[in-house]
Amino acid sequence: MSPTDRIEKQIVLRAPRSRVWRALTNHEEFASWFRVKLDGAFAVGQIVKAQSTYPGQEEAKWEMRIEVMEPEQLFAFTWPAGDAEAADRSLWNRVEFRLEELPEGTRLTLVESGFDRLPPERRAEAWRLNDGGWTEQTQNIRRHVEV
């Protein structure tokens, strides 16, 4: 895997692991901090349709397939990074949220991988946009769980 194939972010949240887990896997809470409308709850194997609620990005729509829900440890989904219309789900990126309990709260490690499968002309821009997006989303979840 090349360095451009993945984005990795870590953040320590001053909240119990159970609280962070709920923010990640309860579709209503996820929708709140991620700033998106979802058409259903999260369950392994479920395809959930999403639409952005960020001002100026309300036209952005995509699907996500819930892949893994290991309670208070790992939540993962796949989605069409860089190409919201991508029909071939085998080419979708994987997003993982791993939780680790710490004395001061919870370490959240986020990894999105699969960028090297994108066409070369779209890869760098998709990586750049998602890297910035995940930086913002880690702060959104911080504000959501550290209330």
Side-chain angles (χ1 to χ4, degrees):
M1 186 181 310
S2 75
T4 59
D5 188 57
R6 64 189 276 134
I7 294 167
E8 184 168 338
K9 307 281 182 187
Q10 278 194 354
I11 187 170
V12 176
L13 303 167
R14 291 184 319 261
R17 188 164 54 172
S18 60
R19 175 69 189 103
V20 178
W21 178 254
R22 191 171 70 243
L24 290 170
T25 60
N26 175 290
H27 72 287
E28 292 171 343
E29 287 202 41
F30 184 95
S32 176
W33 66 264
F34 203 84
R35 296 184 186 175
V36 66
K37 289 180 191 174
L38 300 171
D39 77 343
F42 294 159
V44 173
Q46 185 74 29
I47 302 286
V48 179
K49 293 183 182 190
Q51 181 171 355
S52 176
T53 61
Y54 270 94
Q57 297 180 17
E58 295 89 351
E59 299 301 316
K61 297 178 183 180
W62 67 92
E63 293 180 346
M64 51 199 288
R65 182 179 189 279
I66 309 305
E67 300 288 336
V68 180
M69 293 179 79
E70 294 177 13
E72 298 189 19
Q73 293 180 50
L74 173 64
F75 174 57
F77 60 83
T78 55
W79 69 345
D83 185 0
E85 303 299 318
D88 184 352
R89 291 190 172 108
S90 70
L91 300 177
W92 285 12
N93 279 9
R94 181 178 171 100
V95 176
E96 296 182 350
F97 298 91
R98 294 189 178 274
L99 304 180
E100 180 184 351
E101 194 165 333
L102 300 173
E104 63 272 27
T106 303
R107 176 181 293 126
L108 170 63
T109 301
L110 173 136
V111 175
E112 180 177 3
S113 59
F115 290 95
D116 283 353
R117 290 190 302 251
L118 295 175
E121 66 275 8
R122 289 203 328 260
R123 187 176 307 146
E125 181 69 359
W127 192 96
R128 184 187 68 76
L129 289 171
N130 287 22
D131 184 55
W134 288 123
T135 297
E136 187 169 340
Q137 293 295 12
T138 57
Q139 295 310 307
N140 287 347
I141 195 170
R142 177 190 299 281
R143 287 187 290 275
H144 186 79
V145 300
E146 291 185 353
V147 176

